Amino acid sequence: MATNNTAFSSKAPFLWHGGDYNPEQWPRETWQEDFRLMNEAGVTVVTVGVFSWVSLQPAEDRYTFEWLDEILNGLQAHGIKAILATPSATQPAWVSQNYPEVLRAGETGIRNGHGGRTNYCPNSPDYRRLSGQIARKLAERYKDHPAIILWHISNEYDSWCYCDTCAARFREWLKQKYSTLDELNQRWWTAFWSHTYTDWAQIMPPRKTGETLTHGLNVDYFRFMTESQIGCYKNERDIIRAITPDIPITTNLMGAYKPLDYRRWAKEMDIIAWDCYPKPNQSPGEIAFMHDTHRGLKDGQPFLLMEQTPSSQNWQVINALKRPGVLRLWSYLAVAHGADSVLYFQWRRGRGGSEKLHGAVIEHSGRSDTRVFREVSQLGAELTKLRDAVLGGRIQAQVAILFDWDNWHALENAVGPVRDKQYYQTVCKHYLAFYRKNIPVDVVFPDSDLSKYKVVLAPMMYMVKTGLAEKIERLVEYGGTFVSTFLSGIVDETDLAFENGYPGPLSKVLGIHVEEIDALYPGQSNSIVMKDGSETFTCDRLADLLHAESAEVLATYSTDFYAGMPAVTRNIYGNGQAYYLASDPDDAFLDRFYGDIIEHYAMTPMLAMPEGVEISVRHTEQQAVVFILNHNTHTATVDLKELKFRDLLTDEPLSDNIVLDAYDVKILVETAE
Ligand code: GLA
Ligand code: ZN
């Protein structure tokens, strides 16, 4: 079989299947059983070393790598590759004991006791030194080990530290950014409530017990904490890279995780990897949106599904099992949206610790005659069959949706006009209007190249960064479509409101100005009445009271004192158009509104799908791989029209109709005959 040069590792040019393996919790006899069962389940890649710090370095001057030597050799002997993690997500007790300032401080600024995980200060010099030291030892020892295909630095970087070390570093960071206190005071608008700083030493992290209402401070602390945590990652990464320049390096991200700006992380990571733990009742479309967000982080590059549970989570309030078939369906959902792996947390359930009831491939019984093991093994066999068929495949999207972490923080920090802004949910809601129609969407960021898209959406783009409006103007001028909504164009990137009215720099392309913003109570709504009298839709939450300048009014509000004012506008700008949705409309409106835009650009999926059935295509250099996913709990029939396909899992030729059972997936390539 030809080696696919788009593989993340030439040592493993196939879709990876496996997951987190923490053998240090078990005696040696179990390891042999693990390897045997991994082979049986079609496991090809496991992640080892996450949280292994004390097992590898029980004291500052003592290392115990022998068990890991044995594990890596055992894996290699069984044809299994390893993602080697550095153990820095949990420092051993001896580290906290000898260097107490390594411990993190929570929102009150008081240092935590030792325990839990990610309980370290990202700016602690001792933490940086010691985590760097163990990373170096690992890299030196295993640099030539044939099993290792990827470095996994630490684990799920998370949350913030508010300690005095961080406070001091933050002040240095601010000096770099603003140079003078005057400038900082200006940017943070500290004349308000007599908050003007007269000495750098007065600036503190936004601790719960202190200053939490200076928005500029809050947004900057978020940026600083993102950089601080990235600093930990880079510290280890650079040490490792110097020793193993050919092994890619990653860490695992966490989806819709607000505290850290993943777009900034992406620039430092060779490969995006993320842990997919949907909330109870999250729909497949919402999960797809998270996958697409991660694909977007590196501008369309495939990513790794680093973790998912094979059966249940344990940290939600209620942890339902994945129904039979759902593991397979959601694994392929990830692959269909750009994942080049299917990995689980965890291989074997521990007998103790807080994750002893978390789903695993091997449960406490140690048995392989279980539903979960069978489903994992079946999937393993299929992934072996697929091998590299889809590897490196790209999704070709003409629609992009803008997402921005700074905006998320600024918007949700703002006090008013409603407390719960629902930024993430709103972006997802607009995404879903395209997902329902099987039109692929890329998630993009203010620094992305927008010129390759026909349609760019920017729901709730409250913070408009320098240069973004100009990029949007260019897109529209050349025939593109731009859509923005209520609460857009309010502040600049330092979180200061624009002086010449909303939507700030977007006013020109949108051809409107917003005079006031109304907030609606739960249960209260208004209606969007289409100008042509064709239809009426419901809207709620927020309602801009705006005036059309060069824009034309497509719909108006039906009630309240602003009845008759514009609710939807379109501004022709150059060869394209820019729409503004002044309120939060129902899905029926979005289906029609985006339906018209989709029609305007003649975008159509390869095949029409019945309700609840998804079609997604990944394009490799060789072929277009078509995923048809039945998210329904009942069978569905798909009409293949005059097209002919080959089923990649069965090699069968397919034409006319295909029937998919509940939760079934077909993976096809088009053929001439
Ligand atoms: C995260 C972590 C794992 C484990 C799982 C449990 O993704 O990375 O170590 O705690 O959650 O769902
Ligand atoms: Zn700190």
Side-chain angles (χ1 to χ4, degrees), residues 103-105 111 121-124 161-166 225:
L103 286 163
R104 185 172 290 193
R111 274 198 207 285
C121 165
N123 288 303
S124 154
C161 182
Y162 297 78
C163 78
D164 292 340
T165 312
C166 286
M225 268 298 134

Side-chain angles (χ1 to χ4, degrees), residues 89-340:
T90 312
Q91 76 273 21
W94 64 258
V95 173
S96 307
Q97 185 181 29
N98 296 348
Y99 306 99
E101 92 298 350
V102 159
L103 286 163
R104 185 172 290 193
E107 283 175 301
T108 56
I110 298 168
R111 274 198 207 285
N112 299 336
H114 178 79
R117 66 188 218 197
T118 53
N119 186 8
Y120 56 85
C121 165
N123 288 303
S124 154
D126 284 316
Y127 175 76
R128 294 266 179 116
R129 176 176 61 78
L130 293 164
S131 56
Q133 192 172 311
I134 184 73
R136 177 185 306 283
K137 288 281 176 193
L138 280 166
E140 283 170 351
R141 189 169 186 100
Y142 299 115
K143 64 180 188 320
D144 298 318
H145 200 289
I148 296 170
I149 54 173
L150 177 70
W151 285 104
H152 178 301
I153 308 270
S154 201
N155 190 71
E156 293 192 340
Y157 284 92
D158 77 6
S159 61
W160 299 353
C161 182
Y162 297 78
C163 78
D164 292 340
T165 312
C166 286
R169 290 280 305 129
F170 182 46
R171 287 177 208 121
E172 293 309 311
W173 186 89
L174 292 169
K175 279 182 198 161
Q176 285 281 319
K177 177 163 181 175
Y178 295 109
S179 302
T180 67
L181 259 190
D182 277 354
E183 179 66 12
L184 175 143
N185 279 317
Q186 185 60 33
R187 290 292 165 185
W188 287 5
W189 208 254
T190 51
F192 175 72
W193 284 358
S194 202
H195 283 187
T196 302
Y197 297 98
T198 53
D199 182 347
W200 289 99
Q202 295 159 359
I203 302 173
M204 297 300 285
R207 290 181 182 159
K208 259 224 157 71
T209 46
E211 180 57 83
T212 60
L213 289 173
T214 296
H215 295 161
L217 163 69
N218 294 347
V219 175
D220 272 340
Y221 203 69
F222 150 67
R223 291 167 173 152
F224 167 70
M225 268 298 134
T226 293
E227 276 185 31
S228 301
Q229 304 257 22
I230 290 177
C232 293
Y233 172 83
K234 281 165 64 174
N235 175 50
E236 293 187 46
R237 181 201 63 188
D238 294 349
I239 291 169
I240 289 172
R241 182 161 288 157
I243 301 167
T244 61
D246 298 329
I247 302 177
I249 305 174
T250 191
T251 185
N252 46 346
L253 307 178
M254 287 187 279
Y257 187 67
K258 189 178 162 194
L260 298 173
D261 184 340
Y262 285 162
R263 176 66 171 175
R264 295 180 72 177
W265 277 87
K267 299 193 188 339
E268 309 296 341
M269 298 166 68
D270 295 332
I271 300 169
I272 296 299
W274 88 282
D275 302 343
C276 181
Y277 294 100
K279 295 195 186 70
N281 300 324
Q282 244 178 340
S283 69
E286 290 168 304
I287 302 171
F289 176 56
M290 289 198 281
H291 289 308
D292 289 354
T293 304
H294 287 80
R295 190 183 73 240
L297 291 175
K298 276 183 109 55
D299 306 311
Q301 179 183 296
F303 58 89
L304 292 171
L305 174 61
M306 187 61 92
E307 292 181 24
Q308 63 168 341
T309 178
S311 52
S312 73
Q313 303 172 40
N314 75 328
W315 44 270
Q316 309 280 2
V317 177
I318 293 173
N319 298 278
L321 293 172
K322 283 183 177 165
R323 274 29 212 170
V326 171
L327 171 65
R328 176 173 180 266
L329 175 68
W330 287 5
S331 297
Y332 285 131
L333 178 67
V335 176
H337 285 264
D340 274 354

